[in-house]
Amino acid sequence: MKTVVTITPKGFEEVQRMDIEKFYGADVIEWRADFLSKNNVLDVAPAIFEKFSGFEILFTLRTQKEGGMVDLSPEEYVAILKEIQALYSPDYIDFEYFSYKSIFEEMLDFSNLVLSYHNYEETPENIMELFSELTTLGPRMVKIAVTPKSEQDVLELMNLTRGFKTLNPEQDYVTISMGKLGQLTRLAGHLTGSSWTFTFMDAQTASGQISLIHYKKIMEMLDAD
C-alpha cells in the first residue's frame, strides 16, 4: 500500500521552505491546489513539481462541493486540470466525477485520472452503485471517501472494496472511512484491496488522517517480529 502525503501550501515561498527530507517514506505527494486562489495555481506549480520531482505527484483541486476550499464552474475546473496536464503531466489527477459528470467527456484522453467521490455526511445507501459506476469507467484509480455512522459502515466499505477488487483485479482502488471511527481503513486498507493511505505532514486535511511520522511508527511496530 502506497503512502500519500497531502501538502497544502499557501504560496510559492512556503513551497521553497519545505524540507524535502521530512517526506522520506512517502510514495506519493498529493498537492491540494485548492488552498491557493484559482489564479495562483499555475504560478506555484513550477515550484511544486521541481521540489517533489523524486515522488509521484497527485494533483488535486478539491472543491467546496466535496469538502475543499474553492468554488469553480465546470469550465474553470476543467481548464485548470487541462493546463496542469499539458505543462507537467502529473502521475495522477483527481477528478470529482459525480460533481463534474457533465464535463467528464472532456477528460477521456487522460490516462492518469483518480475518479473520486467524497461524502462528509454519511456512508450512502447506494455506495455499491457508486463503486460500480466508477469501476465501469476504468480510471487509473477509483477513490471513495465516506463518513461512517457506525462500525458496520466501516466494515461494509472494507467488504465492498475487497469484493470489487477481487472481481476487478486490474483496477486500483483507494477507499477511506473518515473520522476516528474509520481509522482502521487507513491502517489496514491493504487487506481489502485499497492501494493508498493518505497521511499529512503539518495539518489534517480530512478527519481521521494520521500524520506521516505516526503512520511510519505504527507500521514499523506492526512489522516488527
Side-chain angles (χ1 to χ4, degrees), residues 4 14 22 24 33 44 61 63 67 79 83 85 100 105-106 110 133 146 166 168 187:
V4 183
E14 186 176 337
K22 290 184 177 181
Y24 174 75
V44 174
L61 193 60
T63 67
E83 192 77 4
Q85 172 70 7
Y100 291 99
E105 62 181 20
E106 296 192 42
F110 286 56
E133 184 166 354
V146 293
T166 299
N168 304 278
L187 295 171

Side-chain angles (χ1 to χ4, degrees), residues 88-104:
Y88 302 103
S89 296
D91 299 277
Y92 308 93
I93 290 182
D94 184 280
F95 184 84
E96 297 174 0
Y97 175 74
F98 292 102
S99 292
Y100 291 99
K101 198 171 179 178
S102 64
I103 57 170
F104 177 66

Side-chain angles (χ1 to χ4, degrees), residues 3 5 19-30 48-58 90-92 212:
T3 304
V5 179
D19 182 358
I20 198 71
E21 293 186 1
K22 290 184 177 181
F23 293 85
Y24 174 75
D27 301 297
V28 182
I29 302 299
E30 180 191 33
I48 293 285
F49 284 92
E50 180 178 355
K51 171 75 73 170
F52 295 102
S53 60
F55 300 85
E56 291 186 306
I57 296 178
L58 163 63
D91 299 277
Y92 308 93
L212 176 62

Side-chain angles (χ1 to χ4, degrees), residues 8-220:
T8 58
K10 310 302 189 300
F12 182 86
E13 294 76 14
E14 186 176 337
V15 178
Q16 295 293 89
R17 291 194 301 268
M18 287 180 174
D19 182 358
I20 198 71
E21 293 186 1
K22 290 184 177 181
F23 293 85
Y24 174 75
D27 301 297
V28 182
I29 302 299
E30 180 191 33
W31 174 27
R32 280 282 301 272
D34 52 291
F35 281 75
L36 298 162
S37 71
K38 62 186 178 184
N39 295 323
N40 289 336
V41 172
L42 293 177
D43 293 333
V44 174
I48 293 285
F49 284 92
E50 180 178 355
K51 171 75 73 170
F52 295 102
S53 60
F55 300 85
E56 291 186 306
I57 296 178
L58 163 63
F59 177 77
T60 299
L61 193 60
R62 183 69 64 235
T63 67
Q64 291 177 359
K65 296 178 183 179
E66 302 206 21
M69 305 295 289
V70 296
D71 184 22
L72 299 171
S73 69
E75 293 75 21
E76 291 173 322
Y77 183 71
V78 75
I80 295 174
L81 297 189
K82 286 185 173 182
E83 192 77 4
I84 289 292
Q85 172 70 7
L87 293 173
Y88 302 103
S89 296
D91 299 277
Y92 308 93
I93 290 182
D94 184 280
F95 184 84
E96 297 174 0
Y97 175 74
F98 292 102
S99 292
Y100 291 99
K101 198 171 179 178
S102 64
I103 57 170
F104 177 66
E105 62 181 20
E106 296 192 42
M107 311 300 293
L108 293 178
D109 291 337
F110 286 56
S111 61
N112 56 351
L113 290 183
V114 176
L115 294 188
S116 64
Y117 167 80
H118 303 81
N119 189 321
Y120 286 83
E121 301 296 326
E122 62 180 352
T123 300
E125 293 184 1
N126 69 331
I127 190 168
M128 182 179 290
E129 287 77 13
L130 302 177
F131 262 98
S132 183
E133 184 166 354
L134 293 175
T135 298
T136 299
L137 296 167
R140 181 79 179 271
M141 179 77 70
V142 168
K143 180 190 178 189
I144 293 178
V146 293
T147 302
K149 296 293 182 64
S150 66
E151 291 87 350
Q152 185 59 40
D153 282 346
V154 178
L155 295 175
E156 180 181 2
L157 180 70
M158 297 179 79
N159 188 46
L160 281 172
T161 306
R162 180 71 269 164
F164 272 88
K165 181 64 177 177
T166 299
L167 292 172
N168 304 278
E170 302 303 315
Q171 178 62 61
D172 284 328
Y173 295 90
V174 54
T175 60
I176 303 161
S177 195
M178 292 185 282
K180 186 175 181 180
L181 187 59
Q183 283 185 323
L184 178 63
T185 62
R186 299 182 183 275
L187 295 171
H190 60 288
L191 297 177
T192 60
S194 189
S195 297
W196 290 350
T197 189
F198 283 76
T199 66
F200 68 92
M201 186 62 65
D202 298 313
Q204 285 184 337
T205 56
S207 177
Q209 267 188 352
I210 301 167
S211 71
L212 176 62
I213 188 169
H214 286 135
Y215 178 77
K216 287 164 60 178
K217 287 180 178 178
I218 292 169
M219 290 297 104
E220 288 170 4

